[in-house]
Amino acid sequence: MSTINTHHRDDAQRDAGIYVAIVYHSGYGHTARQAEAVGEGVWQSGGATPVLLSVDEAQHRWDELHAAHAIIFGAPTYLGAASASFKAFQEATSKVMMAEGYRWKDKIAAGFTNSGARSGDKLSTLLQMVLFAAQHGMHWVCLDLPPANNSTTGSEDDLNRLGFWIGAAAQSNTDEGPDRAPPEADLATARRLGERVARVTRDFVRGRNLAGT
């Protein structure tokens, strides 16, 4: 299985064989930055190895997705829903994974999304991802952060500054490229999601191994 290769530190303590796939679509590069941050969080956890795949790549690498212990889904929110390219990936899984016996059953799942507006109906996209994971029999992992930047002591630099629980949300100004948006707070929130999914996945896999199932 190929893995994200943007990190080069020694991983002697990393759990061997635990993989977290990150499958995403990005129309303008902003959601790709968010996906990379999720991967960094997985890596920094020390408990798993991230595998970063665009939706186009993923549809040629089903075996790698089947072998992954967790899959984190990511898409921009366009007009209150996930992008058409991400939807096409979702629909492709029906024949490849569902029809062959729920091949993703009991994998860990999570999600993230980005839009130009602060709200932008991103909740709709995340709910679509939750339902998609449920249809595959997966276990959804939420974001373990309280809502932030909602008082006079809050800041735009706070983690989860947009106040989402189901997954990681980001906002990118429409007149800024991916070199400037989304802001660091949203990327840090994405890293937190990646770290949490890696930790949950590691514990899940260890528990299964101890139970002998």
Side-chain angles (χ1 to χ4, degrees), residues 34 42 98 111 122 127-128 159 172:
Q34 194 182 13
V42 171
M98 284 184 177
K122 286 189 278 282
L127 287 172
Q128 290 168 34
L159 295 181
S172 298

Side-chain angles (χ1 to χ4, degrees), residues 131-144:
L131 180 57
F132 173 62
Q135 290 176 337
H136 278 283
M138 305 172 81
H139 302 288
W140 188 264
V141 174
C142 62
L143 185 65
D144 62 334

